[in-house]
Amino acid sequence: MRIGLVGLGRIGAFHAETLSGLPAVDTLVITDAREGVGDEVAARLRAGHPQARVEVVRPEELLAAGLDGLVVATATNGHAEWIRRGIEGGVPTFCEKPVAGSLAETIELARLESESETPVHIGHQRRFDVGFRRVREAVASGELGFVHTIRANTHDQAPPPAEFIPTSGGIFRDCGVHDFDAIRFVTGREIASVYAVGANKGADFFTEGGDVDTGAAVLTLDDDTLVLMSTTRYNGGGHDVRMEVMGERGTITAGLDHSLAMTSAEPDVDFPRGPQRWSFMERFLPAYRAELTAFFEVAAGRAPSPCTIADALEAFRTAEACELSRAQRRPVALTEIEGL
């Protein structure tokens, strides 16, 4: 397959490396708005993958390059434009989250997707993590009996650069949105209401950017399952992403392994033994590879999108509800947030 890739920053260069090593990719066509970056990345790919065929084009030439699929890894402010181009050009498109920077534009693109036969796959990579998929299976099979409580967390090892915060959309839209999508994926239920809070104990740039460095929320699902969700930019012991699902007959957890970024206060306990993981890219490396491999099946017409724009919209609506709840210090029903 001829796969196009737009955006060669941190995640884009990471995807380029992954795509170059996948047998399904005959040719990788890459581009970036920054002069010379495409040639630099292409040189590294050819050195690391001598068998890889890599072409470099200007951004305006990409969709005319005879693509079988498009991977969008630009900065957030470029996502909506490239998704729209992919749909209108009839090119199956994979895009990192978020779909767009605003709820209104996300809704508009979800409607465009619904009116088109061109598939779009949004990159919520936890759907391809083996632990989260096992938890989903346990819920769907009835292994746990009825589910009553879920604990979900996304705890970053260290804060992002200060300049990222004013454009991030806030901690619930940037970090918590992954938990919101994973909750829907694992349970098959919709989120009905939220109550969210946030606080700052770290760097001043969070407050200055109108954000918080730590957030928490109580979510109620449409079957009255309760979810306790937390997220923070400060978890110095390592990157920690987990989901505990508690049911009538038992509890199962994704992310509970020897990389767990905590220590036990109990005597004679040697769990976890490490090593810890220090970033989301390290934590979800196999999942990133799996989701891009799955995208080829979508692009070839052999499988439906495993995470549509409509799916991503529901996670984004929950993040919007959490930000509104935090700002107004009240519970927010999802019916208050515009949707399709």
Side-chain angles (χ1 to χ4, degrees):
M1 301 180 77
R2 277 178 70 83
I3 300 296
L5 170 63
V6 56
L8 297 169
R10 181 173 64 157
I11 193 66
F14 174 79
H15 283 333
E17 180 71 26
T18 299
L19 290 165
S20 295
L22 293 176
V25 180
D26 299 314
T27 305
L28 181 61
V29 186
I30 63 175
T31 191
D32 192 276
R34 297 166 296 170
E35 187 72 27
V37 171
D39 291 324
E40 293 173 9
V41 171
R44 291 201 301 270
L45 295 176
R46 291 169 183 142
H49 302 275
Q51 81 287 355
R53 295 178 57 188
V54 184
E55 298 176 10
V56 182
V57 300
R58 294 191 296 272
E60 62 270 22
E61 299 171 333
L62 184 60
L63 285 174
L67 304 179
D68 297 303
L70 171 66
V71 175
V72 179
T74 64
T76 294
N77 60 9
H79 289 186
E81 175 188 358
W82 280 100
I83 290 173
R84 192 176 289 107
R85 287 187 189 184
I87 292 174
E88 292 174 350
V91 180
T93 299
F94 173 94
C95 184
E96 283 296 333
K97 72 87 188 167
V99 171
S102 72
L103 178 63
E105 195 164 26
T106 304
I107 292 171
E108 184 263 321
L109 286 166
R111 287 176 176 151
L112 184 63
E113 175 191 47
S114 70
E115 297 165 358
S116 170
E117 295 183 359
T118 302
V120 180
H121 176 178
I122 303 301
H124 278 289
Q125 82 281 0
R126 293 184 198 181
R127 290 174 176 246
F128 292 90
D129 176 79
V130 293
F132 279 86
R133 293 176 80 89
R134 170 68 184 96
V135 173
R136 181 174 190 252
E137 176 187 295
V139 172
S141 69
E143 176 183 334
L144 304 178
F146 63 78
V147 172
H148 53 76
T149 309
I150 297 172
R151 290 195 180 101
N153 63 264
T154 296
H155 296 169
D156 288 343
Q157 186 268 334
E163 59 270 19
F164 172 76
I165 295 304
T167 61
S168 71
I171 199 165
F172 291 110
R173 296 188 189 97
D174 180 54
C175 287
V177 72
H178 284 292
D179 294 289
F180 306 144
D181 181 72
I183 289 162
R184 293 182 69 246
F185 172 71
V186 163
T187 65
R189 311 300 309 191
E190 297 297 339
I191 296 165
S193 66
V194 309
Y195 183 80
V197 294
N200 280 318
K201 287 192 170 183
D204 291 340
F205 63 72
F206 289 102
T207 303
E208 293 164 359
D211 198 6
V212 292
D213 61 46
T214 302
V218 176
L219 316 177
T220 303
L221 305 191
D222 61 4
D223 66 346
D224 288 335
T225 299
L226 300 179
V227 182
L228 311 174
M229 173 267 179
S230 66
T231 184
T232 184
R233 303 292 192 177
Y234 288 95
N235 198 65
H239 191 74
D240 182 13
V241 173
R242 277 175 289 128
M243 179 179 284
E244 302 171 33
V245 178
M246 289 160 266
E248 169 196 13
R249 299 175 189 157
T251 297
I252 191 168
T253 304
L256 184 63
D257 61 20
H258 283 291
S259 73
L260 190 63
M262 65 171 64
T263 56
S264 174
E266 302 300 328
D268 303 321
V269 173
D270 65 352
F271 177 85
R273 293 191 291 272
Q276 280 67 43
R277 299 188 179 100
W278 301 100
S279 71
F280 67 91
M281 294 172 73
E282 184 181 358
R283 165 67 173 85
F284 288 108
L285 177 60
Y288 278 116
R289 289 174 174 158
E291 73 174 354
L292 286 175
T293 300
F295 171 61
F296 299 146
E297 295 298 299
V298 175
R302 292 190 291 265
S305 171
C307 186
T308 64
I309 297 177
D311 286 319
L313 170 62
E314 292 309 306
F316 196 92
R317 289 178 67 235
T318 303
E320 290 277 306
C322 284
E323 289 292 353
L324 180 61
S325 176
R326 179 178 74 85
Q328 298 186 357
R329 300 186 178 186
R330 67 174 179 88
V332 173
L334 265 290
T335 52
E336 297 182 49
I337 308 299
E338 185 182 1
L340 285 177

